Amino acid sequence: MPSIDIMMPYYGDVAMMQAAVRSILAQDDPDWHLTVVDDGEAAGVPEWFAALGDPRVSYQRNPVNLGVTGNFRKCVELAKRDRMVMMGSDDLMLPDYVSTVRRLEALAPGAGIVQPGVEVIDEAGRVIGGGLVDSAKRRIYKPKGPGPHRLHGQELAVNLLRGNWLYFPSICWRTDAVAAVGFREDLEVIQDLDMIIKLVERGEELIAGDHVCFQYRRHLSSESAKQAIDGSRFAEARAFFLETAEHLDSIGWTEAAAVSRRHRSARLHALSLVPAALKQRRMDSARQLLRYAASPSKRLSA
């Protein structure tokens, strides 16, 4: 039995999903099983999986749409192997992804979070440098020097709350750790960071390597990109950071709490989106982004 469950919560572009599946089939290490949980109703998708006829691949379609977080939660429930990946259906694994995360895990047995090297691609599959967010991840927030890097405890919480440089769909998790925490139903765009901070609080360790074995697709048609431009994701982010700060203070992680209360990277991200909102003549969105960027300690008004 393979030890890694690759879970793919799917909704969206059929061709990109098929390319993602083919990238998994091309792995040079057979230690994986793929489960696709289809939250849509695109024609021909069940038939395409049936035609694969591959026992390493399981497919099921939800009878009703569960939404992003709901489908994430279902994938966690279905994962039964020692480790799991929550892969985006528009991302790609390079052939040595599985072998790379297994080598990293061997360096830190039991680590709850294994982050391999990632490169960013666009809608056409071209490798790109990414925008402000990806540049900041590489140059500012990611630990400096050659990896692998191992972090845990308040040091890791401070690092990720200062700027989340991880690429969630590329992470290989310890399944029992994720199942114990899960995804909050009331979060739509920052549920990954919420889960990660809870894992860190529970004592889980992160090991991160430099070798690139995963391609993360960045494109403006994504739901998170739409919510970023209209400012709605930052209302959720502010509530999360302030709530997290209060909790971290209560457990004595005062440095992490202070970083969360300031949430400077998220505020700078909001500020960077103002020109795009103005260009699209979305004045309400621009004002909301500016309010968020300017005032870290107050909630946005309704």
Side-chain angles (χ1 to χ4, degrees), residues 81-97:
R81 292 168 173 83
D82 295 339
R83 291 198 163 265
M84 65 174 289
V85 180
M86 191 79 77
M87 182 178 175
S89 61
D90 56 355
D91 299 323
L92 298 172
M93 287 182 175
L94 298 180
D96 59 348
Y97 171 84

Side-chain angles (χ1 to χ4, degrees), residues 61 73 86 100-101 124 135 171 180 217 226-227 242:
R61 174 169 281 181
R73 290 167 64 89
M86 191 79 77
T100 298
V101 296
S135 295
I171 295 173
R217 197 180 301 271
K226 294 175 185 176
Q227 290 174 326
L242 296 180

